[in-house]
Amino acid sequence: MKTMINSVLKSGALAIGLMSASSFASDSIQGTYKAVLRHEATGFYQYALFTLSTVQAGGGTLKISANVRIVYGDWDSNEFLTYDFSDVPMNILTRQISMRDPVNDVSFVGQLGDGEMKGDWYSSSVGRVGSFQALKNADPVPPANRQLVRSV
């Protein structure tokens, strides 16, 4: 069986464990994450849904793709923008994930933890827009003293 090396830093010493590709592709990565996107130059925030999908590409390789829905208004709003990312690289050692595609005007770069993603998001027209936090099994808390971007 193909395996990947998973390095974990424990108590100042580097411990190396082996993990099969199929167990790595389990529910620990794939699924829907609810997110809060912060607009740092303004006093606004937005809700978003990140859907990560994983498939075994063969040879022990895990392929990740993503769909991001940025919502205008509350979670149940029917006004949103959707972005597809067909290839989402993730560093298996650092768990850094990068959602970028030349056809999209936004990108997301962050860390994938246990049921959580957090990092920064960018626009092709203005550069860094702000930070984001996404949770797999809970609703993220909106930032205090910021205003929700409402639907039109």
Side-chain angles (χ1 to χ4, degrees), residues 54-134:
T54 60
V55 296
Q56 295 294 325
T61 304
L62 177 69
K63 180 172 173 32
I64 303 171
S65 60
N67 174 277
V68 178
R69 177 184 287 194
I70 300 176
V71 180
Y72 290 87
D74 291 317
W75 289 111
D76 59 351
S77 174
N78 61 358
E79 294 185 38
F80 54 84
L81 295 172
T82 301
Y83 299 95
D84 291 314
F85 301 91
S86 61
D87 187 25
V88 178
M90 185 183 80
N91 183 314
I92 193 168
L93 299 177
T94 65
R95 309 263 308 177
Q96 181 177 4
I97 191 165
S98 176
M99 290 175 255
R100 299 178 190 190
D101 195 307
V103 300
N104 293 330
D105 292 331
V106 297
S107 59
F108 303 86
V109 178
Q111 299 294 123
L112 182 62
D114 187 24
E116 177 183 36
M117 272 190 293
K118 56 184 170 179
D120 296 314
W121 68 296
Y122 302 86
S123 164
S124 59
S125 61
V126 298
R128 185 177 181 273
V129 177
S131 60
F132 73 90
Q133 179 191 24

